[in-house]
Amino acid sequence: MYYEKVYLEDIFLGLARTGHKPSITLYIPEVSEAINENAAYSCVVICPGGGYSYVSKREGEPVALRLVGNGIAAAVVDYSCGGAHYPTQLFEVLAAITYVRRNSETLHIHPERIAVMGFSAGGHAACSAGLFWREKLACETLGIREGEGRPNGMILCYPVITSGKYAHRGSFECLLGENPDLALLERVSLEKQVTEDAPQTFLWHTAQDGSVPVENSLLLAAALHEKGVLVELHIYPYGHHGLSLCDETVNKVEDITDAAKYCAGWMEQCIRWIREAFPEGKN
C-alpha cells in the first residue's frame, strides 16, 4: 500500500489559515504487475464526523483500510473544525478532491471514479462538496477549473443534512457560529440545494439514531429522487449514532449489539455500489 500525508494549504494557497493545517492522507493499493500494471483505481475521499467540533479518528483510517483491502483507493481529509466556519470546510474538501484528480495518473486513480464519503457532520461537508462544487467563489479561492473538485459519487453515512426541524443543532452552531444569518442557515440545509447535476448517491442511516434523526437521509433521498439523480438508500431499524464500521475495531465491545452488527452490512453494500457505479473499463 502506498501511504502519504499532504498538507492542503501548502498547495492551495487561497485556503483560509485557521490555525489547523488541513491535510489529506492517501491510502493507495499497490499496483501489481501480476494483476494489472496499468491499474486505475476508484478512490473514496473520506470526511470523518465529529459535529464540526473535531474530526473522528474512528471514521477515518479504519474505513480507508477496509476500502484498500477491497482494491479501492482512499483518502482521509483532516478538515478544520472548532471555530472554523463555513465555507472553510467546503473549500478544504473540494481541495482534497481536486488534489486526487490532478495527481490521478501518478496515484493510479481513475480521474472520473472519485467519490466523496462522509459520516455525520462529515456527511454534511461531503454533500456540500457534491452540491456546491461549481461555486465561483470556491473555484476562484482554490485556483481550480470548474469540475476539478466535482465528486463522481457521494457516500453518506448517517449524515447531517437539514438545518430545519430535524437538524443536529450542535453541528450548525459549530459550522456557522451562534445566531447565524437566516439566509446562510437556509443555504446549508442541503436537501434544498439539490440540482439535476448532483452526483449519484449511496445513503445509510438507522431509524433509531438519537443524535442525527433519520429524516436527514430521508429528506435528501427524496430531493435527489425528485431531480432524477440515482440514489440508493438503506435504513436499518436499530443502532445508535456513529457506528462507523459497526464492529469492535471502531467501537467499545459493549456497544456492539446484535442490532449494530446487523448494520455492518452497509460496507459490503457500499463496496458493491462503488463497483457498479464505477465499472472497470469506464472512460
Side-chain angles (χ1 to χ4, degrees):
M1 180 183 73
Y2 174 77
Y3 173 91
E4 182 184 10
K5 186 172 185 177
V6 177
Y7 290 99
L8 294 169
E9 65 181 30
D10 294 341
I11 299 168
F12 300 91
L13 302 182
L15 286 173
R17 273 31 180 186
T18 65
H20 170 78
K21 289 197 73 171
S23 65
I24 181 172
T25 303
L26 302 164
Y27 303 79
I28 314 295
E30 288 286 350
V31 173
S32 170
E33 294 181 2
I35 302 173
N36 182 2
E37 63 182 4
N38 298 313
Y41 300 109
S42 298
C43 182
V44 177
V45 177
I46 303 169
C47 303
Y52 280 125
S53 64
Y54 71 100
V55 175
S56 170
K57 295 185 183 300
R58 299 188 311 105
E59 295 163 341
E61 184 171 86
V63 179
L65 293 176
R66 190 69 57 88
L67 291 166
V68 170
N70 283 275
I72 299 166
V76 178
V77 186
D78 182 14
Y79 54 91
S80 298
C81 291
H85 294 157
Y86 181 86
T88 299
Q89 297 84 356
L90 167 63
F91 290 177
E92 290 172 358
V93 177
L94 290 173
I97 296 168
T98 300
Y99 178 85
V100 171
R101 181 163 281 124
R102 285 182 177 176
N103 293 278
S104 57
E105 184 174 357
T106 301
L107 296 172
H108 296 280
I109 289 170
H110 195 296
E112 299 305 319
R113 296 185 203 153
I114 301 171
V116 64
M117 173 187 281
F119 295 81
S120 192
H124 188 273
C127 189
S128 295
L131 299 181
F132 298 148
W133 55 270
R134 62 158 31 108
E135 280 201 348
K136 183 178 180 181
L137 178 60
C139 294
E140 291 178 347
T141 299
L142 298 173
I144 64 178
R145 299 185 301 276
E146 182 178 303
E148 280 193 295
R150 183 186 188 273
N152 304 108
M154 297 192 295
I155 301 164
L156 307 176
C157 313
Y158 41 87
V160 172
I161 295 296
T162 182
S163 64
K165 178 180 178 181
Y166 299 104
H168 182 257
R169 298 297 173 192
S171 291
F172 289 103
E173 287 178 6
C174 287
L175 181 64
L176 303 178
E178 296 183 4
N179 303 313
D181 177 78
L182 293 180
L184 182 56
L185 192 62
E186 181 85 354
R187 173 68 171 165
V188 297
S189 198
L190 300 180
E191 81 282 7
K192 299 179 181 179
Q193 310 305 330
V194 175
T195 61
E196 290 82 358
D197 60 2
Q200 57 188 320
T201 301
F202 178 97
L203 273 163
W204 79 273
H205 218 120
T206 70
Q208 199 179 40
D209 194 318
S211 296
V212 177
V214 68
E215 283 82 1
N216 281 261
S217 286
L218 294 173
L219 287 167
L220 180 64
L224 290 165
H225 178 68
E226 182 179 350
K227 295 296 184 180
V229 179
L230 291 175
V231 58
E232 180 170 328
L233 172 64
H234 295 263
I235 303 296
Y236 297 93
Y238 305 109
H240 61 267
H241 185 72
L243 281 170
S244 183
L245 293 172
C246 310
D247 61 22
E248 291 86 351
T249 65
V250 289
N251 289 278
K252 295 179 180 178
V253 174
E254 58 267 28
D255 289 338
I256 300 302
T257 62
D258 288 342
K261 292 177 182 177
Y262 182 73
C263 298
W266 80 266
M267 177 53 86
E268 181 180 353
Q269 294 299 325
C270 179
I271 290 167
R272 185 262 315 151
W273 180 87
I274 292 169
R275 290 173 176 159
E276 291 178 356
F278 308 138
E280 292 295 326
K282 178 181 177 182
N283 295 320

